[in-house]
């Protein structure tokens, strides 16, 4: 097994891993509750996925297969760097295929392909406290969580509607977990929020800088906050993916020139390439262009 | 045609090579060694050790070399290394009254037992660029005092303590072990030991600005530099198998005792209060700023009005760490296009709605009313 000399399997020492796993067990036992933990300095900067990295390091076994995505893609530099970190320090197998992975560490997206009970999602979280923008004092937000007093957030959403006609949160859209704790789903687009609900996979959230972990156990109820007359809805695009023709995926807008030219493609690179390999095409596919 | 972003790994490896070349600079100039940095850039080394929370001059010098002189980057390197070190035990509290002093001054008294000792300080240099340093020269032998300094010098705070003019600093009931912030998360409310620990590894620039703000009216603590002392203290541990203390080495510390006014209360007679600062190495600016901030953070406990940023523990303690701050500020370089796409979509939707309303407005409703509503 190729790992770096002088460092333990998956970088962290076993005591630290055990401490993090204990915090994770507590998090699983109280879905959506933020558990403080002794977050360590990692050799990657705070804010660049240290919470997710510490969770992955502490649950990773030698037989695990790891997938790392950022913005839905395996190829973005930070995803590459984190995948390389674990390949170097743990020598484990990595993959870009969603269905082949046992652990998927992610920043800002949930894969389009449905997950299974055999998989664990690890989310990188910048700001774990959903109320932080409304009440910066942690001593106060802890009390609000204890009392399940989420009036502040409902008023904020109401004021959005009064002011803009819509709830103005498009990502990191607040959810209520298991009917009890208000939770920040990390900055995933609200498009992904429905995937949090009753997901067969265990979902773990790590905020390294803020020193918190939390969890959504498999098959847990996760509701996105809304109002009866303003029900929660997700983004929809007018065009399908220009490469694979998907109409059900989150699309990134790619600017093609400085004259307003643009195309829309799947943000989930594995989903897109799998569909293309299966023969699906879009308006900009090489095949479609040749045929035209 | 859309070109998928591939080859991230090669690009990353290439950027490492560029970084190494940029660090080395012109190869006609001799390469600097960590030993040179340790000896000749000792104040940079001290800051990296302080905020890196690891007293090791060689490693701090190496970190500075690797970081091409970027202090915060060097501090980060040292912290990340420190995480991997096993914890053998905790030292006994260091006794700064037994410090082998190289500098000791008080701004509160003209003279005091043991005297004022200037030591190596920039304080009274005239800040003229010294062009003679462009060329190597033999360093002059420093002058020697006629007699050695007293072995133990009482701290100024203790001199006043005898009269009851200075608040006493006693351990909390039961003398509880302090929280180890490098192992446990910071939580609020934070006791003073925890706050001091946070400030000790806090960013010097941040503490300087916070301390400065208390002098300019954002908090009001009337500080006097009661005493600043710098020198070497012995570090002692009690190994379990021995059962008595042994010295494992010595470290350089700078300590600042700030004296502040306090009117007293119905139960406490008027007396001076204290702010405390301590840092590794020669770090006077840091320890003085720390003492100012420590005192400001005691506002609530002393029954003072808390109105200024420096008096708010959550504000100060959650933002003092430069490794955390640097990482989070710079994480904005990471791709955010999924979130940005979501915002674009909402903004377009809102603008469409706005346009629709403006058209309706032209047909009957006053446009100003629509605009006012949108801007509400």
């Amino acid at each position: 097994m190729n790992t770096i000399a002088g460092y333990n399997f998956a970088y962290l020492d076993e005591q630290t891993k055990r401490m993090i796993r204990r915090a994770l067990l507590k998090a699983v036992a109280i879905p959506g509750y933020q558990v403080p933990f002794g977050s360590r300095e990692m050799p990657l900067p705070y804010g660049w996925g240290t919470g997710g990295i510490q969770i992955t390091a502490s649950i990773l076994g030698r037989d695990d297969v790891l997938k790392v995505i950022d913005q839905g893609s395996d190829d973005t530099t930070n995803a590459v760097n984190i995948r390389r970190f674990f390949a170097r320090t743990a020598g484990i197998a990595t993959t870009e295929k969603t269905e082949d992975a046992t652990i998927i560490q992610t920043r800002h997206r949930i894969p389009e392909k449905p997950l299974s009970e055999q998989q664990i999602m690890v989310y990188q979280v910048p700001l774990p406290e959903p109320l932080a923008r409304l009440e910066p004092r942690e001593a106060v937000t802890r009390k609000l969580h204890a009392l399940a007093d989420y009036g502040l957030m409902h008023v904020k959403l109401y004021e959005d509607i009064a002011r803009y006609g819509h709830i103005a949160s498009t990502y990191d859209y607040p959810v209520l977990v298991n009917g009890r704790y208000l939770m920040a789903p990390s900055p995933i687009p609200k498009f992904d929020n429905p995937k949090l609900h009753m997901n067969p996979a265990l979902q773990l959230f790590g905020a390294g800088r803020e020193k918190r972990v939390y969890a959504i156990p498999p098959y847990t109820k996760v509701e996105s906050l809304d109002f009866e007359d303003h029900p929660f809805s997700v983004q929809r695009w007018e065009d399908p993916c220009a490469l694979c023709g998907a109409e059900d995926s989150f699309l990134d807008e790619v600017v093609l020139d400085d004259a307003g030219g643009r195309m829309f493609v799947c943000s989930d690179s594995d989903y897109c390439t799998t569909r293309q390999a299966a023969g699906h095409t879009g308006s900009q596919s090489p095949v479609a262009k040749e045929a035209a | 045609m859309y070109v998928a972003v591939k080859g991230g790994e090669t690009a990353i490896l290439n950027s490492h090579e560029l970084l190494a070349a940029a660090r080395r600079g012109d190869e006609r100039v001799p390469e600097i060694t960590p030993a040179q940095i340790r000896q000749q850039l000792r104040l940079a080394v001290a800051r990296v050790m302080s905020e890196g929370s690891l007293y090791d001059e060689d490693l701090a010098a190496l970190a500075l070399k690797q970081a091409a002189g970027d202090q915060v980057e060097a501090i980060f390197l040292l912290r990340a290394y420190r995480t991997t070190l096993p914890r053998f035990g905790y030292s006994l509290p260091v006794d700064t009254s037994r410090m082998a002093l190289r500098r000791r001054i008080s701004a509160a008294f003209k003279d005091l037992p043991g005297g004022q000792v200037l030591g190596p300080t920039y304080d009274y240099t005239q800040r003229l660029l010294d062009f003679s340093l462009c060329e190597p020269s033999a360093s002059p032998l420093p002058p020697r005092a006629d007699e050695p300094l007293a072995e133990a010098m009482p701290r100024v705070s203790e001199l006043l303590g005898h009269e009851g003019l200075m608040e006493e600093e006693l351990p909390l009931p039961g003398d509880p072990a302090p929280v180890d912030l490098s192992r446990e998360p910071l939580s609020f409310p934070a006791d003073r030991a925890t706050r001091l620990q946070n400030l000790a590894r806090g960013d010097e620039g941040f503490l300087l600005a916070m301390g400065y703000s208390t002098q300019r009216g954002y908090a009001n603590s009337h500080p006097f530099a009661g005493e600043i002392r710098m020198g070497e203290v012995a570090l002692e541990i009690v190994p379990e198998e021995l059962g008595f203390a042994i010295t494992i080495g010595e470290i350089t510390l700078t300590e600042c005792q700030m004296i502040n006014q306090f009117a007293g209360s119905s139960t406490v007679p008027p007396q001076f209060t204290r702010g405390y600062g301590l840092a590794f190495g020669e770090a006077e600016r840091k320890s003085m700023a720390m003492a100012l901030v420590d005192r400001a953070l005691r506002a609530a406990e002393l029954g003072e009005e808390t109105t200024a940023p420096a008096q708010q523990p959550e504000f100060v303690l959650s933002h003092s760490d430069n490794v955390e701050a640097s990482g989070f500020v710079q994480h904005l370089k990471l791709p955010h296009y999924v979130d940005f796409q979501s915002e674009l979509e909402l903004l377009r939707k809102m603008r469409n709605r706005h346009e629709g309303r403006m058209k309706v407005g032209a047909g009957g409703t006053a446009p100003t009313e629509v605009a006012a509503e949108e801007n509400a």
Side-chain angles (χ1 to χ4, degrees), chain A residues 9 98 234 244 268:
Chain A
F9 175 78
T98 300
V234 299
C244 78
D268 184 335

Side-chain angles (χ1 to χ4, degrees), chain A residues 179-242:
Chain A
R180 175 59 180 84
Y181 281 99
L182 186 71
M183 191 196 91
S186 86
I188 56 171
K190 66 177 185 173
F191 179 89
D192 283 340
N193 274 22
K195 297 176 191 162
L196 297 165
H197 177 62
M198 298 303 275
N199 198 311
L202 170 63
Q203 302 178 78
L204 303 174
F205 297 78
R209 193 178 40 79
E210 299 282 345
K211 303 171 180 58
R212 297 288 183 275
V213 292
Y214 49 101
I216 303 175
Y219 302 110
T220 301
K221 199 170 85 170
V222 181
E223 306 153 81
S224 301
L225 296 192
D226 63 357
F227 297 101
E228 275 173 24
D229 52 345
H230 279 268
F232 175 78
S233 63
V234 299
Q235 296 102 322
R236 291 278 170 236
W237 285 259
E238 286 172 13
D239 307 294
C241 169

Side-chain angles (χ1 to χ4, degrees), chain B residues 14-239:
Chain B
N14 286 342
S15 84
H16 293 175
E17 305 267 321
L18 282 171
L19 183 65
R23 178 191 306 123
R24 178 61 184 86
D26 188 341
E27 290 197 12
R28 286 170 298 182
V29 177
E31 183 168 345
I32 196 168
T33 65
Q36 290 173 322
I37 295 172
R38 177 181 170 173
Q39 291 299 320
Q40 297 171 39
L41 298 177
R42 68 185 203 291
L43 301 180
V45 168
R47 180 170 174 200
V48 171
M49 293 195 303
S50 244
E51 294 167 34
S53 300
L54 182 67
Y55 196 97
D56 188 313
E57 291 170 300
D58 291 317
L59 291 180
L62 173 63
L64 275 165
K65 173 174 174 171
Q66 190 177 330
D70 181 337
Q71 297 237 304
V72 177
E73 183 67 27
I75 289 160
F76 179 20
L77 285 169
L78 207 58
R79 285 262 195 102
Y81 177 76
R82 177 193 199 275
T83 323
T84 66
L85 299 176
R87 194 62 61 97
F88 294 123
Y90 293 89
S91 74
L92 295 177
V94 295
D95 184 357
T96 52
S97 71
R98 290 194 299 155
M99 179 184 273
L101 291 171
R102 283 195 279 146
R103 174 165 164 82
R104 187 258 201 143
I105 55 163
S106 170
F109 293 100
K110 185 174 179 183
D111 202 4
L112 65 168
Q116 309 257 17
V117 182
L118 287 189
T121 175
Y122 280 96
D123 282 354
Y124 310 103
T125 59
Q126 294 162 7
R127 267 66 167 195
L128 305 169
L129 268 180
D130 180 358
F131 294 100
S132 72
L133 292 177
C134 292
E135 297 300 327
S137 61
S139 61
L141 275 180
R144 295 186 70 91
D146 302 331
E147 51 185 288
L149 290 172
E151 259 182 41
M153 281 201 209
R155 281 174 294 217
V156 169
S157 49
E158 285 157 14
L159 300 176
L160 284 171
H162 295 312
E163 281 186 71
L165 295 174
M166 178 69 76
E167 65 164 340
E168 281 190 285
E169 270 177 358
L170 299 171
L172 294 172
D175 194 10
V179 167
D180 181 348
L181 268 189
S182 67
R183 300 274 137 166
E184 291 166 55
L186 175 65
S187 63
F188 297 100
D191 62 17
R192 190 168 177 214
T194 308
R195 296 198 304 257
L196 286 169
Q197 214 175 124
N198 174 286
L199 299 179
R201 63 197 330 230
D203 182 77
E204 178 174 320
F206 175 80
L207 293 184
L208 183 66
M210 280 287 131
Y212 179 44
S213 74
T214 68
Q215 293 178 285
R216 292 194 66 261
Y218 292 88
N220 202 356
S221 55
H222 306 285
F224 298 94
E227 180 177 336
I228 296 158
R229 53 170 62 199
M230 182 275 288
E232 280 64 44
V233 293
L235 210 56
E236 295 174 323
I237 60 164
V238 180

Side-chain angles (χ1 to χ4, degrees), chain A residues 72-92:
Chain A
S73 165
D74 302 85
D75 299 314
T76 40
T77 41
N78 202 44
V80 168
N81 202 26
I82 292 171
R83 189 167 56 238
R84 205 169 142 255
F85 174 74
F86 282 114
R88 284 176 78 194
T89 58
I92 42 97

